Amino acid sequence: MRLNLIILFLMIASSPVWAQKWQPGNFTDVKGNRTVGMVRVNPGGKGPIKDEGFIEFRDDPKANPYKLSASDIRSFVAGKDSFVVAHAPQNEAWSKEETDFVQVVLDAPLKLYMAKGGTGSGSSGVHFSPGVSAGYGTGGYGGGLGGGVGISLGGGGGNGGGKSGKTVYYYGESTAEMKRLTDDNFEDIMVEVMGDEEQVVDNIKEHKYNLRNIDKLLDYYNKMIASHTGAKP
């Protein structure tokens, strides 16, 4: 009986519906005003504005939810994760929403952003047009992409159906300057982004990490930061 309950819990925890739960958070509007409440990152249905990602927000757990399109806000926080509004970088096209959200993975002077791309109806978030970004890294679209920390953004995903996509990382001082992180530039960029941790930098230069296991690198870096500050990674 206990084993059955554990299996049931794991099934619920890994389901798309669970991923769409309401989380405590806040959003900052285009005027810089911050509102605290509850956020749902991956709501179903259509957004308020065509070709834009959106979230759902409620001022408190009992309040009626309302939708916020990407152009309505500058950024939002859901749980422990922070997201900012972004447009498709130069030489790329986001085939579903040209204005959407990317997650701020590392908030350093040279920031690291993450978005999840995909193709196929029903899949939500930032969608990339295959072939458009040829010239970024090896193999063009999809070349060298990996990592195990994928997210779905932007709304319109229904119950999370459709095909899962590649996890794509960008770097830049702001979203206006985002460029794709690739196999070719990985070492140079990550050394600069994580330059405050000498041991981490040494591991990158020794090629212990690459784009395919960047999730492990991020975990390692956060644990090193936490060891200095005493905070949980």
Side-chain angles (χ1 to χ4, degrees):
M1 181 68 178
R2 184 178 179 183
L3 178 61
N4 290 338
L5 289 174
I6 292 173
I7 293 173
L8 178 62
F9 173 78
L10 291 174
M11 290 175 63
I12 294 173
S14 61
S15 69
V17 174
W18 182 268
Q20 297 177 45
K21 67 179 182 179
W22 288 93
Q23 301 179 72
N26 62 76
F27 73 87
T28 301
D29 65 21
V30 292
K31 294 182 179 180
N33 301 312
R34 182 171 172 267
T35 303
V36 177
M38 305 290 292
V39 179
R40 185 159 66 167
V41 177
N42 189 25
K46 294 183 179 179
I49 300 176
K50 184 179 179 181
D51 299 327
E52 288 192 5
F54 69 98
I55 60 171
E56 280 190 333
F57 192 86
R58 52 174 33 144
D59 297 315
D60 61 68
K62 296 182 179 180
N64 292 325
Y66 52 94
K67 296 177 179 179
L68 293 167
S69 194
S71 62
D72 296 327
I73 61 179
R74 292 180 183 176
S75 61
F76 72 90
V77 174
K80 296 181 179 180
D81 299 322
S82 299
F83 304 84
V84 291
V85 175
H87 300 277
Q90 186 179 8
N91 298 328
E92 290 198 23
W94 293 348
S95 60
K96 189 173 182 182
E97 285 99 15
E98 282 299 304
T99 303
D100 213 319
F101 308 103
V102 292
Q103 183 175 350
V104 183
V105 180
L106 290 177
D107 189 9
L110 184 66
K111 296 174 175 57
L112 187 68
Y113 304 101
M114 179 178 68
K116 185 173 183 181
T119 56
S121 60
S123 180
S124 61
V126 178
H127 291 247
F128 304 92
S129 297
V132 172
S133 55
Y136 277 79
T138 57
Y141 174 80
L145 301 180
V149 283
I151 53 173
S152 296
L153 302 174
N159 290 323
K163 301 176 182 178
S164 61
K166 299 287 187 179
T167 300
V168 182
Y169 293 87
Y170 297 99
Y171 64 92
E173 295 182 2
S174 68
T175 55
E177 301 171 352
M178 287 193 315
K179 295 181 180 179
R180 178 83 70 92
L181 186 67
T182 68
D183 288 327
D184 291 342
N185 62 29
F186 181 86
E187 181 175 327
D188 290 340
I189 297 304
M190 296 311 295
V191 164
E192 182 172 353
V193 171
M194 299 180 171
D196 56 334
E197 287 293 334
E198 185 176 350
Q199 186 173 331
V200 176
V201 168
D202 288 342
N203 276 268
I204 295 172
K205 290 182 177 180
E206 291 170 5
H207 305 134
K208 293 182 179 180
Y209 297 98
N210 53 48
L211 198 53
R212 292 169 181 80
N213 65 359
I214 188 175
D215 53 321
K216 295 181 180 179
L217 172 60
L218 292 168
D219 184 58
Y220 173 45
Y221 176 76
N222 287 329
K223 286 180 178 178
M224 291 297 293
I225 293 294
S227 68
H228 305 319
T229 63
K232 294 183 178 180

